[in-house]
Amino acid sequence: IRSRWGTSHGAVVLTVEELRSTYRIMLARLTALVRPLLAIALASGLAGVLCVGAAATVARRRSHAVLRAVGLTRGQLERVVTIELAAIGAIAVAGALMGGWGLGWLQVHVLLRGMLGMSVRYAFPAGLAAGAAAAVLGATVLGGWWLGRRAGGVDLAEALRWEA
C-alpha cells in the first residue's frame, strides 16, 4: 500500500506499534504542556489563600485584641488563626481536587474520545495531586502560624483603638 499509493495519494501507513508510539509521544507532549499550568494554578491559589488569611487577620485586629484582653494567650490566638487558615486551605484543596478530577475526565471523554476518536483510559494523577495538596496544606498552616504569631504580638492598647 505504501509503495503503490503512498506517494501519489499522500497515504500514511503505520503498523499498530507505530500508531501506539505516535499516540504515546502526542500524549506525552500534551502532558508536558499541562505541568507549567498546574504550577501556576497552584502558586496563584496558594497566594490567594494566604492573602485572604492576611486580610482577615488585619480586619479582625480589634477582635483579636479584645480576645487577648479577656484572657486569650498569644499561643491560643496563634492556634486559632492557624486552624482557620488550614481549614480554608483544606476547603480549597478539596475543591481543586474535585474540579481537577472532573475537568480531566471531561477532557479525556470529550476531547480525546468524542472529538479525536481516540480511546484513552482516564488515569487521575493521584500522586501528583496528593503532593500538591500536602504542599498547599503545609504552606497554609505555616502561613496561618506566621499570621497568628503576628496577630498575637500586636500592642493591645493600639489594637483596641483600631477601627475596622
Side-chain angles (χ1 to χ4, degrees), residues 33 44 58 157 162:
L33 292 173
S44 63
V58 169
W162 179 270

Side-chain angles (χ1 to χ4, degrees), residues 22-41:
T22 301
Y23 280 156
R24 277 190 208 105
I25 291 169
M26 185 176 70
L27 287 174
R29 286 182 185 160
L30 283 171
T31 303
L33 292 173
V34 170
R35 297 225 187 263
L37 294 174
L38 290 174
I40 291 168

Side-chain angles (χ1 to χ4, degrees), residues 14 72 97 145:
L14 299 173
L72 192 72
L97 288 174
W145 170 81

Side-chain angles (χ1 to χ4, degrees), residues 1-131:
I1 294 173
R2 191 179 289 155
S3 62
R4 185 163 181 194
W5 293 295
T7 53
S8 61
H9 295 290
V12 177
V13 179
L14 299 173
T15 65
V16 172
E17 190 51 45
E18 288 172 331
L19 182 64
R20 285 184 181 150
S21 175
T22 301
Y23 280 156
R24 277 190 208 105
I25 291 169
M26 185 176 70
L27 287 174
R29 286 182 185 160
L30 283 171
T31 303
L33 292 173
V34 170
R35 297 225 187 263
L37 294 174
L38 290 174
I40 291 168
L42 184 66
S44 63
L46 183 58
V49 168
L50 292 176
C51 286
V52 163
T57 302
V58 169
R60 290 194 312 255
R61 188 174 185 184
R62 184 180 172 99
S63 302
H64 291 160
V66 169
L67 290 172
R68 290 279 322 281
V70 296
L72 192 72
T73 67
R74 287 178 69 165
Q76 290 170 329
L77 183 58
E78 273 179 34
R79 285 190 290 279
V80 165
V81 174
T82 301
I83 290 168
E84 177 189 23
L85 207 58
I88 292 169
I91 291 167
V93 163
L97 288 174
M98 289 186 294
W101 181 88
L103 287 174
W105 183 87
L106 213 72
Q107 180 181 10
V108 167
H109 285 279
V110 172
L111 286 176
L112 296 178
R113 286 188 184 158
M115 295 176 76
L116 300 176
M118 292 174 62
S119 178
V120 179
R121 186 171 40 110
Y122 177 60
F124 185 71
L128 179 65

